[in-house]
Amino acid sequence: MKCFVAVLIIVTLATDAVSEASVRTCEPIKVAMCKNIGYNQTGMPNLARHTLQADADVTLQTFSPLVQYGCSSQLDLFLCTVYVPMCTDKVALPIGPCRGLCESVYERCYPVLSEFGFQWPAELDCSLFPAENNHEHMCMEGPGERTAPVGTVTLDSVNAGGRSACRRLIKPNSWVWVRGSSRCAQFCEAEVLWESGERRAAEVWLATWAALSFACTLAAVGAQLACGDRGSAGERALVLVALCRCAAAAGWGVRAAAGRTAAGCAKDSTTPTRMLLAHDGLANPNCAVVFLLLYYFGLAASVWWVVVAGAWRASVLRPSVTTSGTGTRNDRHSSLLQLAAWGVPAALAAAVLVTRDVDADELTGTCFVGNQSSKSLLALVIVPEAICLLLGTVFLATGLRAILRRPVPVPAPTALLTSPPQQITDQTLLRLGAFAALYAVPSTCILATWVYEYAWREDWLAAPVPTEIPSTQPRPAFWVFLFRIFASQILGVMVAVWIATPRLKALWRKIAGPRKPPLTKCPAGPPPTPLTLHCYATHSHSLSRSQMHKYATYRPPQQHSYRKPRHYHYSAGETIL
């Protein structure tokens, strides 16, 4: 009886195969996902019992997030061999995947599905496929998984491993592989390097200093416009530095007003249920606006500071140039300075937007460039700022050297008439140079924090290697990033204080009017009577003025003097001329 049942099953399967082969015809592949898979002919029904390619295409669309996730480099081939199998006239049955191909894809992609609460589909069960490709059962084995060599995976490297690259990072469940940008993106709410308390403290710190910087720079620029004093080339460039710092502070304000999620996070097709930390700022308008305000105006402020230092150096090296000559020279080079100060930051910002390197940092959720890419941080942030700092320092050093070597001028008798204007010019020049030197100190500190982040970021994000001796995972210093926020905002406060102090005084004098001289109080009672001197003589003849002056001085008494002694009496009633 058992033998009869077995024979009946074999005959039934053979009949189904013959009938299926009789109705199977090969046709060109119409599914877009499988057109460049390695073969161009398929036949229906497929291994999932779909009779139309349109039905197979609808089913394949449900695997699109998993394909974009990049969990396996053979996932495309495996799905196509199941739903759009290879067809040839020489073989009656469809040529699907081998069991080894299925198990390779299952090992890499099933943890991703289970992480999001999905089960492995029943029609993709690896036990349904042939164990190996031979003359009895033809199947497709696949080219094998393509992975990068060990030790070459970084945060922003492009590799075919996808999910394996994210597994090499700290807290791998907080990352997802984004195939479009070829990098591991962090979930927006994930705590990888910073805890929630540190994030809140940094956001309060950022909002406070940004508001102070914006208010100070806005007041300084308003005072300058109200006074209407153009000043020298260095002073005009300094006002533009304040304007750029005001716009950059407005960028921090946009970030604080929009909130962390709205400004620093974005949706992604691979994870429709969760938000990712922005790694392509163009997908989030708020992120793009914050980036433009911070990066463009921040770099423009650094370039204008170089102009300030250069103008101070020119004034020191050519102190004898007249005011009209200086103005003509500055006007002649004004267009070049404007082009350099506004054009260079614009070109770099356009390069960032074209390469789509705008990304958000985990601590504050602020969009900038280089927050997730070390190469972008070096090329687009560290190098431009270092060049500006180097040029400004060279200008300051050469100007200081010229001052130290200048001989001390000997004041001429006629210098008293021109000393007040010259003194005012020297004082303004000294204040301008002092400010340019002080401005370089916070700029140097900010550059040092960027270099610190560039040097240690890979160590912070690398997953710890299991060893016999437990080691401590390196973490970034929280105070360094807080200091960066403080230094970037204190630059605006410094330039505002320098500009606003003399301008506010001039504005107050204009509003209050000219100062009146102080009135002295007269003493009470009658005015004092001047002291007078009376001179009496006993002889009848008069004396000349010279003789009176002669006897007004003391002389020793002589024995033979024909004049009688004179008597001098002081009274308050008369005055001697």
Side-chain angles (χ1 to χ4, degrees), residues 233-245:
E235 292 177 340
R236 294 195 300 269
L238 196 58
V239 174
L240 293 176
V241 173
L243 182 63
C244 292
R245 284 298 168 187

Side-chain angles (χ1 to χ4, degrees), residues 326-352:
T326 305
T328 304
R329 184 182 297 106
N330 291 334
D331 294 338
R332 186 165 56 250
H333 297 290
S334 177
S335 59
L336 297 178
L337 294 178
Q338 295 284 343
L339 179 62
W342 300 117
V344 172
L348 292 176
V352 175

Side-chain angles (χ1 to χ4, degrees), residues 100-329:
L101 175 60
C102 177
E103 291 176 350
S104 176
V105 175
Y106 177 84
E107 180 182 359
R108 289 167 172 78
C109 295
Y110 175 68
V112 179
L113 289 177
S114 61
E115 183 179 351
F116 294 101
F118 297 99
Q119 298 296 324
W120 190 256
E123 62 268 19
L124 302 181
D125 189 358
C126 296
S127 62
L128 300 176
F129 309 118
E132 59 181 4
N133 183 27
N134 51 37
H135 63 282
E136 295 181 358
H137 302 284
M138 295 186 65
C139 62
M140 304 185 70
E141 296 179 347
E145 294 292 339
R146 301 186 301 273
T147 57
V150 178
T152 61
V153 178
T154 59
L155 178 61
D156 48 359
S157 64
V158 178
N159 59 75
R163 185 64 180 177
S164 61
C166 300
R167 291 292 176 186
R168 299 177 185 272
L169 300 175
I170 185 176
K171 298 181 181 181
N173 294 331
S174 301
W175 302 84
V176 60
W177 175 259
V178 182
R179 189 174 183 180
S181 59
S182 299
R183 67 171 61 176
C184 293
Q186 179 183 336
F187 291 120
C188 188
E189 69 278 5
E191 298 179 2
V192 177
L193 295 178
W194 310 104
E195 300 177 355
S196 58
E198 293 173 332
R199 290 180 179 181
R200 289 192 297 268
E203 188 162 359
V204 173
W205 181 263
L206 169 62
T208 302
W209 284 105
L212 179 61
S213 177
F214 178 78
C216 292
T217 51
L218 186 62
V221 174
Q224 171 67 19
L225 295 177
C227 291
D229 183 15
R230 288 175 56 97
S232 62
E235 292 177 340
R236 294 195 300 269
L238 196 58
V239 174
L240 293 176
V241 173
L243 182 63
C244 292
R245 284 298 168 187
C246 183
W252 294 103
V254 172
R255 153 62 190 91
R260 176 186 176 86
T261 303
C265 301
K267 293 183 179 180
D268 192 84
S269 58
T270 59
T271 56
T273 59
R274 304 183 69 176
M275 300 285 289
L276 298 180
L277 200 64
H279 57 278
D280 180 5
L282 298 181
N284 188 343
N286 295 329
C287 182
V289 171
V290 172
F291 159 74
L292 287 175
L293 290 175
L294 292 181
Y295 183 76
Y296 175 73
F297 287 102
L299 189 57
S302 299
V303 178
W304 278 116
W305 171 73
V306 176
V307 175
V308 172
W312 177 78
R313 174 183 176 274
S315 300
V316 169
L317 295 180
R318 293 186 294 270
S320 59
V321 179
T322 60
T323 305
S324 59
T326 305
T328 304
R329 184 182 297 106

